[in-house]
Amino acid sequence: MKHSFSLLGLALLLGACTKEIATTPNTSTTTSPSTTSTSYNDLWIPPTLTGTTFNLSLDKSTKQFFSGSVTNTYGYNGANFWGPTLIMNKGDQVQINVKNNLSETTTSHWHGFHIPAEMDGGPHQEVLAGTTWSPNFKVMNNAATYWYHPHLHELTAKQLSLGAGGLIIIKDPEEAALALPRTYGVDDIPLVLTSRKFTSTNVIDYSTAYGDYLLTNGTLNAQMNLPKQMVRLRILNAEIERGYNLGFSDNRTFYIIANDGGLLETPVPVTRVKLVVGERIEILLDLSKDAAGSSLDFKAYNSNLPAGFGGSEPAQSGQFGSLLNNKDFNLLHINVAAASSNPITAVPSSLVKQTTLSASEVTNSRILMVTGGQPNGPAFSFNNVTYDHQTINQTIKLNAVEKWTIMNNNIFGHSFHIHDVQFKIISRSSGTVGIHESGWKDTVYLPVGESVTFLAKFDDFTSTKHPFMYHCHFANHEDAGMMGQFLVIP
Ligand SMILES: [Cu+2]
């Protein structure tokens, strides 16, 4: 599973015109995702859990994705793929009980949360089969969309691929004071985007980088009725490697209001936005002028993207091929319906005041180079070191304001994620930091041949024995060792 061989594999594929074809499931109840669909399935909206005590159980399940054999999956709390959405309030002290009903170890990481390392759910907080892990912490993050997922070293790609994951929505008074859509499942819609490859007997193939079939909240060919008013979409890229270039079928303008770690200062109007693995954005979609009964599609405009963007490879089969590669494809078919009562009909002119970190506050700088791809070496690593469970790669002083530069002079793009902190991107070597990247971030796209520099303050939580992680969020890269550990020390 080494990406260093992808270009070689591609060359062989093109050169040899191999007869190998992708195994495709029996699709008699589901039309091909690469053609215009006429049969849709209603989008599954994950149920919500609220309060300050959250009970999660991770179970084996099955889901009828296609006719014929059911597909073995994982899900939390009885979901047959994915899990409930946890709704938390900033400032609350919460307790989460994670029961592992699998026959293998898992962990549960609270992606984006600023919490003590021993509560973080990284590779060290193992939840053995049949046991329950009960972290508790104060919710300190801003209102935004976060998520939870397994983070057990070398099993993350498998467990995530089989469906283990869920969203977390944090609410706070600043967000509550704004005239934004926030009725979950009505005008505030979670959209978890991923894709899967299935064998001919409908088994999820978790050994590959890209899926052949797009799943929105686990739903194939998803559709939803949305009210003709302002609708908020909370979008998570929960892929293994694929990135998305998001837009609507009539190329309408939509408004980015939040990214990973909170609301932006003002809504950012765009017609396209890229979202790489692990990133979240919240957008406002204005349906107020659409006729009830009309429809449009939310799409990935993924054809002809730059080399190195996950899923831009032309191959349709093989290790780095998929039926969705280098194509535009549907994410959600939207049927415009009557407005709900008391609809939001306008985009707010401003959102929240951003606090900033300035370069003059920096107390330490680090450079991480994306390395690897050498024959017989690891596919990807940082600074030529692959993850070792017992090795601390970085030590950071409490309250340090650090400048991290991640350099990617490598053959492929990556998605860099750091635990514990939210950061501010101050520069990209390409010269362009997207306006929607101006808020707090925990995950950032690293294009081929570029470097990204961000500032972060490491406050609140110290430990001399419990580390936090930084890693590529491509689960297969992370599992293969593209991950490091840091301690925040007094
Ligand atoms: Cu990577």
Side-chain angles (χ1 to χ4, degrees), residues 175-193:
E175 189 273 345
L178 294 166
L180 290 171
R182 60 173 65 81
T183 306
Y184 183 86
V186 176
D187 62 4
D188 184 347
I189 312 297
L191 293 179
V192 178
L193 306 178

Side-chain angles (χ1 to χ4, degrees), residues 277-469:
V277 179
E279 285 187 309
R280 292 85 65 204
I281 51 167
E282 298 177 20
I283 66 171
L284 292 180
L285 166 65
D286 185 0
L287 296 175
S288 63
K289 295 170 192 69
D290 291 72
S294 64
S295 65
L296 72 158
D297 291 309
F298 183 44
K299 297 187 68 166
Y301 288 90
N302 274 23
S303 58
N304 302 312
L305 290 170
F309 189 85
S312 64
E313 298 95 322
Q316 297 230 304
S317 63
Q319 192 184 350
F320 298 103
S322 85
L323 298 179
L324 299 176
N325 275 15
N326 193 29
K327 281 203 170 68
D328 300 340
F329 52 89
N330 266 8
L331 304 169
L332 180 68
H333 183 67
I334 296 167
N335 301 303
V336 181
S340 67
S341 54
N342 302 314
I344 302 291
T345 55
V347 178
S349 55
S350 65
L351 297 166
V352 298
K353 187 91 190 98
Q354 289 280 324
T355 52
T356 55
L357 292 170
S358 98
S360 64
E361 298 173 77
V362 170
T363 55
N364 190 39
S365 299
R366 293 169 207 264
I367 293 175
L368 286 185
M369 307 251 290
V370 176
T371 47
Q374 302 304 314
N376 304 317
F380 296 115
S381 55
F382 292 112
N383 295 347
N384 290 308
V385 175
T386 50
Y387 178 75
D388 178 85
H389 209 53
Q390 310 305 330
T391 301
I392 300 300
N393 306 89
Q394 316 283 340
T395 302
I396 300 171
K397 288 203 180 103
L398 180 67
N399 292 323
V401 175
E402 297 222 345
K403 181 169 87 170
W404 285 38
T405 298
I406 322 295
M407 301 178 69
N408 182 19
N409 297 315
N410 203 265
I411 60 165
F412 201 71
H414 300 273
S415 178
F416 183 85
H417 171 52
I418 185 168
H419 294 205
D420 178 29
V421 293
Q422 294 283 331
F423 55 76
K424 291 274 179 156
I425 303 170
I426 58 166
S427 65
R428 285 182 176 277
S429 59
S430 62
T432 51
V433 179
I435 306 173
H436 70 284
E437 294 185 314
S438 63
W440 292 107
K441 295 279 292 169
D442 57 54
T443 307
V444 61
Y445 178 40
L446 299 177
V448 174
E450 287 189 25
S451 64
V452 176
T453 300
F454 63 75
L455 305 181
K457 184 170 188 189
F458 294 79
D459 51 9
D460 297 313
F461 306 117
T462 60
S463 174
T464 53
K465 57 176 194 238
H466 299 290
F468 292 104
M469 303 292 134

Side-chain angles (χ1 to χ4, degrees), residues 16 28 35 69 85 94 148 157-158 216 252 255 289 293 359 392 416 418 458 485:
S28 61
T35 59
S69 303
T85 299
V94 300
Y148 58 96
K158 175 192 174 183
T216 305
R252 73 178 57 196
Y255 303 87
K289 295 170 192 69
I392 300 300
F416 183 85
I418 185 168
F458 294 79
Q485 317 194 57

Side-chain angles (χ1 to χ4, degrees), residues 4-298:
S4 49
F5 300 120
S6 65
L7 298 179
L8 175 63
L10 178 60
L12 290 172
L13 192 67
L14 294 171
C17 293
T18 173
K19 292 286 187 286
E20 182 193 353
I21 57 166
T23 51
T24 50
N26 182 336
T27 57
S28 61
T29 60
T30 310
T31 55
S32 164
S34 58
T35 59
T36 303
S37 280
T38 51
S39 100
Y40 296 106
N41 302 302
D42 289 338
L43 179 73
W44 179 69
I45 299 293
T48 58
L49 296 177
T50 57
T52 55
T53 301
F54 297 87
N55 295 310
L56 290 175
S57 67
L58 179 55
D59 297 276
K60 291 180 187 171
S61 186
T62 59
K63 180 161 180 158
Q64 191 85 51
F65 283 107
F66 303 98
S67 62
S69 303
V70 294
T71 297
N72 289 318
T73 58
Y74 290 169
Y76 292 94
N77 293 21
N80 57 16
F81 190 91
W82 204 242
T85 299
L86 314 184
I87 298 180
M88 299 180 181
N89 295 307
K90 184 177 183 176
D92 278 359
Q93 187 74 30
V94 300
Q95 160 121 12
I96 310 179
N97 303 305
V98 183
K99 173 87 192 295
N100 178 9
N101 289 326
L102 304 179
S103 49
E104 63 192 18
T105 303
T106 189
T107 81
S108 187
H109 169 55
W110 321 107
H111 181 125
F113 274 52
H114 180 52
I115 48 178
E118 63 266 45
M119 306 297 172
D120 190 47
H124 294 275
Q125 284 83 50
E126 294 187 350
V127 191
L128 302 181
T131 69
T132 298
W133 178 57
S134 297
N136 63 84
F137 49 81
K138 185 178 179 184
V139 179
M140 297 176 74
N141 288 73
N142 297 323
T145 307
Y146 304 83
W147 61 307
Y148 58 96
H149 62 79
H151 207 310
L152 185 67
H153 188 49
E154 297 182 331
L155 279 184
T156 297
K158 175 192 174 183
Q159 295 181 352
L160 191 60
S161 293
L162 289 176
L167 290 175
I168 306 174
I169 294 173
I170 295 182
K171 295 179 175 270
D172 71 13
E174 274 191 295
E175 189 273 345
L178 294 166
L180 290 171
R182 60 173 65 81
T183 306
Y184 183 86
V186 176
D187 62 4
D188 184 347
I189 312 297
L191 293 179
V192 178
L193 306 178
T194 193
S195 61
R196 291 294 177 271
K197 196 166 282 190
F198 297 83
T199 69
S200 58
T201 53
N202 299 344
V203 174
I204 290 174
D205 178 358
Y206 51 79
S207 71
T208 60
Y210 304 117
D212 288 329
Y213 294 88
L214 193 282
L215 299 173
T216 305
N217 299 352
T219 307
L220 285 161
N221 293 333
Q223 69 168 354
M224 188 175 190
N225 296 337
L226 290 177
K228 55 181 268 78
Q229 62 201 57
M230 207 62 72
V231 173
R232 179 185 199 162
L233 303 178
R234 298 174 184 264
I235 308 160
L236 162 67
N237 182 331
E239 277 281 4
I240 303 301
E241 284 201 26
R242 189 187 307 284
Y244 292 91
N245 184 31
L246 302 170
F248 291 89
S249 51
D250 58 1
N251 296 317
R252 73 178 57 196
T253 297
F254 55 98
Y255 303 87
I256 303 172
I257 57 169
N259 56 15
D260 300 336
L263 291 161
L264 302 174
E265 288 215 321
T266 56
V268 178
V270 295
T271 57
R272 295 283 185 273
V273 64
K274 292 190 176 78
L275 193 73
V276 299
V277 179
E279 285 187 309
R280 292 85 65 204
I281 51 167
E282 298 177 20
I283 66 171
L284 292 180
L285 166 65
D286 185 0
L287 296 175
S288 63
K289 295 170 192 69
D290 291 72
S294 64
S295 65
L296 72 158
D297 291 309
F298 183 44

